[in-house]
Amino acid sequence: MTSPLALPSPPLPTHDWSSSYPMTPASARLARTHTRRRLTSWQWQGDIDDALLVVSELVANAARHGKVAGHHLWLRLALAEDGGLIVDVSDPVPEFPGFGTGVWAGVAPGEGGRGLLVVRQLARHVGWFPRHERGKTVRARLAGP
């Protein structure tokens, strides 16, 4: 197992929203729709298309690799005081093997995994942390305006 990546402390959120989704590929599309609506209603001045791509990739990865029978994944969006966006995607699997290698280190893989490289390019910070007895959370922080 790779160790969690230390994340900078995010500024206090001005808006906060979360929702659970089933562990299916269709959840990525639904999460994109909810994210667009939420960021539009918050009048977020950052790049909404970038945010949608990050949400889509992280939700799709959680649905594919974090699948545990009887569990859902969670998406949390938070706007920080500085205008940045925090995207948290949580799943019930406590490990994140290979986080510091391969695609996360900037190496483009063969057929799959390019979405994680995209997340890394679009986000200011990407990391993960364990949730006490409940799996892990992958966090991406996007810049505001």
Side-chain angles (χ1 to χ4, degrees):
M1 173 174 98
T2 320
S3 298
L5 183 65
L7 296 171
S9 297
L12 296 174
T14 60
H15 290 66
D16 197 311
W17 173 85
S18 63
S19 183
S20 69
Y21 296 91
M23 295 282 200
T24 65
S27 292
R29 180 182 47 81
L30 187 57
R32 275 194 311 273
T33 300
H34 291 159
T35 298
R36 181 180 297 282
R37 288 180 184 159
R38 187 62 50 185
L39 296 180
T40 300
S41 73
W42 289 344
Q43 298 178 355
W44 185 54
Q45 298 298 308
D47 191 322
I48 291 179
D49 289 333
D50 284 358
L52 295 175
L53 195 54
V54 167
V55 165
S56 182
E57 292 299 334
L58 293 181
V59 168
N61 285 337
R64 176 180 292 146
H65 302 292
K67 194 171 198 169
V68 174
H71 291 270
H72 285 80
L73 64 89
W74 280 88
L75 168 64
R76 175 182 174 257
L77 304 174
L79 290 187
E81 287 178 325
D82 66 357
L85 175 67
I86 299 162
V87 177
D88 287 344
V89 177
S90 303
D91 66 57
V93 175
E95 301 90 23
F96 199 134
F99 184 84
T101 62
V103 69
W104 289 102
V107 178
E111 289 297 312
R114 289 190 179 110
L116 297 177
L117 185 58
V118 170
V119 169
R120 190 162 192 236
Q121 294 298 316
L122 296 176
R124 273 184 156 173
H125 304 285
V126 180
W128 72 282
F129 54 91
R131 296 184 315 139
H132 183 66
E133 297 183 24
R134 294 190 180 159
K136 69 177 168 305
T137 297
V138 177
R139 173 171 289 164
R141 189 166 188 312
L142 286 82

